[in-house]
Amino acid sequence: MGSRRILVTGGSGFIGTNLVEALVASGNTILNLDLRPPQVASHRPHWMQVDLMDQAVLDKAVVEFRPTHVIHLAARADLMGKTPEDYALNTTGTENLMRSLGKVPMPEHVLFTSTMLVCRPGYIPAHDTDFAPGTAYGTSKVDMERIIRSWDPPYRWNIIRPTSIWGPWFASPYRDFFDRVMQGKMFSIGGIAPATKTYGFVLNGVRQIMAILDAPDIARGVYYIGDEPPVNIRMWTDMVATKAGVRRPPVVHHALIRAAGWVGDLFKWARIPFPMTSFRFKNMTTDNVLPLANTSALVKEIPYDLATATDITLTWLREHENK
């Protein structure tokens, strides 16, 4: 495995930081293309500051590195954009990368990162091209997937769709969840059954991504990145509180939370941060159990169960408090 030359785009982000750490540890030659510097100092030798929207600069970096494998993570992934055009990095940036890869010897395998939000929460796709996005970000990723399929590049490629990924080096919204629980500011939603969702601990996700990259005869298609079994949100919230040594969050009736979401929508329209929106309320109250069967066939046992992953994350948060 050490002879591989793995190009990672967006390797300074949340998933990318954990992935680069694992890839470097496994003895591969790594190049991380990202506008932002790495969050971990030891990753700096593997980083090059490159904007995927700059075709000439991207071409030069890819041609000089000559990757054997590619993991394309770079994206604008926030939900603040109002139209898919606000997310040009997700579409044009992906096209630019494919153009650059056409100028080097054919890579063995390329993974393109999409998102579970190509379908709105609660909509479970019947097949890989069954889309139902509920946000401009999700629509941009639908467009990205369609671009990849229309190009149908000659190398082996797959699309991965991370679910709700959390763990060390995360940011909003899931770091906010942990922070609020630890600060005693979290609540559980009452008056309705707690939602059950597919979440994914990032170190399990890294293991899954590497298994997909390494699979010798993998069929083209979509692989969701996430953990089984799905998680009951109220149960997990109480687990985090207990492990953090704080009181369990109080239960607040769903009608009050729904009203706060409407207020949050007004703040979002004005681009003012607010802890609740109607999108987040729907996300918190809608079951969303995603199809992981083909991923689980490659990684039959995830390395970390929910309790262990929660412990690891709480330790990381304490070590990086105020950072």
Side-chain angles (χ1 to χ4, degrees):
M1 295 301 179
S3 63
R4 299 185 303 176
R5 300 176 62 80
I6 303 178
L7 178 70
V8 180
T9 70
S12 300
F14 161 41
I15 296 176
T17 297
N18 290 278
L19 181 63
V20 168
E21 182 74 14
L23 291 172
V24 170
S26 63
N28 296 284
T29 300
I30 307 300
L31 177 62
N32 164 30
L33 303 183
D34 202 311
L35 275 174
R36 298 171 297 170
Q39 301 182 69
V40 178
S42 62
H43 294 181
R44 275 191 166 276
H46 310 284
W47 169 63
M48 181 181 294
Q49 189 172 46
V50 171
D51 183 353
L52 268 64
M53 300 299 284
D54 189 329
Q55 186 74 68
V57 173
L58 179 60
D59 284 350
K60 185 174 186 296
V62 172
V63 168
E64 289 181 356
F65 185 65
R66 296 167 65 91
T68 62
H69 298 74
V70 180
I71 304 172
H72 175 42
L73 293 169
R76 177 180 173 181
D78 65 84
L79 301 180
M80 298 302 291
K82 295 182 178 179
T83 70
E85 288 71 29
D86 293 331
Y87 296 89
L89 175 61
N90 301 350
T91 49
T92 304
T94 299
E95 287 186 291
N96 288 348
L97 177 62
M98 289 192 289
R99 289 189 186 97
S100 296
L101 292 176
K103 299 177 181 180
V104 296
M106 191 165 62
E108 294 178 31
H109 200 179
V110 178
L111 301 185
F112 296 98
T113 305
S114 182
T115 173
M116 69 174 182
L117 292 179
V118 294
C119 295
R120 63 184 177 271
Y123 184 97
I124 308 304
H127 49 78
D128 285 356
T129 56
D130 180 14
F131 300 119
T135 63
Y137 165 61
T139 299
S140 77
K141 285 296 194 175
V142 170
D143 293 341
M144 185 200 82
E145 290 197 19
R146 286 173 172 158
I147 287 168
I148 295 165
R149 291 184 176 93
S150 67
W151 278 56
D152 193 19
Y155 40 77
R156 199 157 46 103
W157 59 266
N158 288 94
I159 292 170
I160 59 175
R161 291 181 186 164
T163 59
S164 298
I165 307 298
W166 58 280
W169 303 106
F170 60 173
S172 181
Y174 299 109
R175 178 162 182 170
D176 297 342
F177 162 73
F178 271 80
D179 286 343
R180 285 196 296 271
V181 173
M182 295 172 73
Q183 294 163 6
K185 298 178 180 179
M186 190 61 184
F187 56 84
S188 293
I189 298 177
I192 53 176
T196 298
K197 295 180 176 295
T198 299
Y199 287 91
F201 179 54
V202 67
L203 299 182
N204 291 335
V206 165
R207 174 71 184 88
Q208 291 171 331
I209 291 169
M210 293 176 68
I212 295 167
L213 190 72
D214 293 345
D217 298 310
I218 193 169
R220 283 184 180 172
V222 168
Y223 286 76
Y224 279 88
I225 304 301
D227 295 345
E228 290 183 312
V231 175
N232 177 290
I233 293 178
R234 186 181 299 175
M235 178 277 293
W236 188 30
T237 302
D238 289 346
M239 175 191 289
V240 174
T242 298
K243 287 180 174 292
V246 300
R247 67 178 177 85
R248 291 188 177 186
V251 177
V252 179
H253 195 273
H254 67 91
L256 294 176
I257 308 304
R258 186 191 299 272
W262 293 333
V263 173
D265 291 343
L266 296 176
F267 278 87
K268 180 182 176 182
W269 180 83
R271 295 185 178 272
I272 300 172
F274 192 78
M276 182 58 63
T277 63
S278 58
F279 174 84
R280 183 160 179 255
F281 172 80
K282 182 175 179 58
N283 190 39
M284 292 175 67
T285 56
T286 302
D287 288 343
N288 200 46
V289 179
L290 294 162
L292 290 170
N294 54 356
T295 306
S296 298
L298 292 175
V299 182
K300 299 187 185 306
E301 293 185 10
I302 57 174
Y304 303 97
D305 62 22
L306 183 65
T308 304
T310 300
D311 285 334
I312 291 170
T313 302
L314 287 169
T315 298
W316 180 87
L317 283 167
R318 294 183 184 107
E319 292 172 349
H320 292 79
E321 190 174 3
N322 301 321
K323 292 184 181 179

